Amino acid sequence: LLRHCALLSKLKPAHVSPDKPADPDNPDCRKFHIIEARWQSKAYKTFMRDIDKKSAQSRANKSGNKRRERIELAIPETINSEAPVGLWRNCYDVMWLKSLEPHEFHALEVIEDEYDFSLEYRTESL
């Protein structure tokens, strides 16, 4: 994950998609529905959920509080949350970018490159 530090360091809690309890009447419920952030591209969401799954796998046999289960809804609920500045173009949803006013798009400081979302370990040849 070290090679993803440049991307992850640009994110704040306001940028992540929130969760909503699957059973709001049960305070002990560990299942949560994922609420989609409108600015996030499908590739970005998949990448972040893959990181979440890897984190859950690495913590599976550790003691402590049971980890919450995040569930994608068949028909996603979407919110217009704050978008981070300075991400690669393919991190942002194309239709969301097109909906922005020119000054809003310019303020995002979009990097005009494609981000490599792959998680597999790579060795660099010298």
Side-chain angles (χ1 to χ4, degrees):
L1 287 179
L2 286 177
R3 70 181 191 85
H4 297 292
C5 284
L7 169 64
L8 299 174
S9 68
K10 296 178 183 224
L11 305 176
K12 297 177 185 166
H15 302 141
V16 298
S17 51
D19 294 339
K20 182 167 67 175
D23 181 1
D25 297 328
N26 178 0
D28 296 325
C29 181
R30 302 304 300 161
K31 293 184 179 191
F32 290 79
H33 292 145
I34 299 170
I35 309 303
E36 305 282 341
R38 180 72 181 95
W39 67 265
Q40 297 173 345
S41 71
K42 179 67 176 162
Y44 173 88
K45 287 184 258 197
T46 300
F47 168 72
M48 295 304 285
R49 291 183 186 146
D50 287 347
I51 289 176
D52 198 38
K53 287 175 192 167
K54 286 189 177 297
S55 175
Q57 290 168 353
S58 71
R59 294 180 185 171
N61 295 326
K62 295 184 179 176
S63 62
N65 289 340
K66 185 178 175 190
R67 185 171 167 81
R68 69 164 62 191
E69 181 183 350
R70 301 181 76 224
I71 303 164
E72 290 183 57
L73 296 170
I75 300 172
E77 183 178 333
T78 305
I79 61 166
N80 244 344
S81 63
E82 179 183 340
V85 171
L87 298 186
W88 292 257
R89 180 174 280 279
N90 62 332
C91 294
Y92 301 107
D93 179 79
V94 172
M95 295 308 293
W96 179 80
L97 285 174
K98 288 181 180 180
S99 75
L100 299 177
E101 296 293 329
H103 70 277
E104 293 172 316
F105 179 81
H106 180 71
L108 275 179
E109 301 175 15
V110 176
I111 299 171
E112 294 295 337
D113 265 338
E114 296 286 307
Y115 189 80
D116 177 6
F117 292 112
S118 61
L119 289 173
E120 64 271 355
Y121 178 76
R122 296 180 193 178
T123 56
E124 301 295 325
S125 57
L126 299 176

